[in-house]
Amino acid sequence: MRVILAEDSTLLREGLVRLLVEEGHEVVAAVGDAVSLMKEVEEQTPDMVVVDIRMPPTHTDDGLRAALEIRKRWPRISLLVLSQHVERNYAAQLLAANAERVGYLLKDRVAQVEEFLDALERIHAGGAAIDPEVVRQLVIRTTHGDPLAQLTPRERSVLETLAQGHTNTAIAQKLHISLSSVEKNLNTIFDKLELSHTAGYSRRILAVLRYLES
């Protein structure tokens, strides 16, 4: 795939360039600030953008705002957002409009090369990839008053794995249960969260958003 990288750490940026090139991808641009990112995306129209949340010029959420603008203007471009720490609100903003072709990973995940490359492939194929640590901390923060409290431990595990962006088959493999069991648990989750078959909306996406917002 054709990729644009936006990361202000030169060491990490160059490391990602080398990794992606070795995997057969084409890095059409590698920049260190959000302004340059938007310029390159407009000129190159890549398949994938990998962007850090906190970048120049303000070192706050410039990368995220650029990612949201890219999603609005070029919805077919896949996005992988990197973050130093778990920032739940940012994850929710990124997924709010559409949880397809999008990912949110902690930078530590990049060092786990196979997981990082797998996330890229899932996103590029039209799926999502949410860092397991992000999901884990969201589980810790939930309270008895949240809408997920009615889920059983198994249902919560299935939803947690779904939130990471995995398919039903991958969920079954990771949790060591049958595919039919995954499908049954998901249907129960959708019912408990009152996610109806609303035209134009994926219940899987709505379930992940409910999970992130809880």
Side-chain angles (χ1 to χ4, degrees):
M1 69 187 83
R2 300 174 68 254
V3 183
I4 289 180
L5 294 173
E7 165 60 56
D8 61 327
S9 167
T10 303
L11 183 62
L12 178 56
R13 186 172 67 244
E14 294 305 315
L16 286 172
V17 169
R18 180 174 179 178
L19 172 62
L20 292 173
V21 170
E22 288 178 350
E23 289 296 317
H25 302 300
E26 179 186 0
V27 179
V28 296
V31 300
D33 64 86
V35 175
S36 298
L37 168 62
M38 295 304 298
K39 180 175 180 294
E40 291 293 342
V41 170
E42 187 163 10
E43 292 180 356
Q44 303 285 352
T45 315
D47 302 311
M48 168 80 70
V49 168
V50 180
V51 55
D52 184 13
I53 283 181
R54 298 184 182 276
M55 298 180 64
T58 69
H59 293 281
T60 55
D61 62 348
D62 299 82
L64 175 70
R65 287 188 283 110
L68 294 174
E69 182 65 19
I70 291 168
R71 168 125 294 197
K72 178 181 177 181
R73 294 173 60 184
W74 299 281
R76 300 301 301 176
I77 295 178
S78 301
L79 286 170
L80 174 56
V81 173
L82 303 178
S83 179
Q84 190 68 45
H85 308 288
V86 176
E87 299 182 83
R88 181 174 60 174
N89 290 337
Y90 288 161
Q93 286 183 60
L94 187 64
L95 294 168
N98 189 342
E100 297 177 352
R101 293 185 302 278
V102 65
Y104 181 99
L105 296 182
L106 297 182
K107 288 187 177 181
D108 289 346
R109 196 67 52 189
V110 177
Q112 301 178 33
V113 175
E114 290 187 5
E115 289 189 35
F116 174 69
L117 293 174
D118 177 66
L120 281 180
E121 293 298 333
R122 292 209 312 270
I123 296 166
H124 184 54
I130 309 299
D131 196 287
E133 179 61 19
V134 174
V135 175
R136 188 187 71 82
Q137 290 203 23
L138 293 176
V139 171
I140 292 173
R141 292 178 187 179
T142 57
T143 68
H144 292 294
D146 82 275
L148 305 181
Q150 60 187 311
L151 301 183
T152 66
R154 171 61 74 193
E155 291 163 357
R156 187 177 284 271
S157 295
V158 170
L159 180 55
E160 177 181 341
T161 312
L162 171 68
Q164 293 173 25
H166 294 292
T167 63
N168 288 7
T169 301
I171 293 172
Q173 293 173 346
K174 285 182 171 293
L175 299 182
H176 305 290
I177 58 178
S178 68
L179 182 58
S180 62
S181 179
V182 171
E183 293 169 349
K184 180 180 178 180
N185 276 279
L186 283 175
N187 285 329
T188 302
I189 290 167
F190 297 151
D191 289 341
K192 287 185 176 181
L193 297 182
E194 299 180 352
L195 301 177
S196 62
H197 293 276
T198 304
Y201 293 90
S202 164
R203 292 201 296 172
R204 297 172 71 89
I205 294 173
L206 291 173
V208 170
L209 290 175
R210 182 71 59 82
Y211 186 77
L212 291 171
E213 292 169 353
S214 63

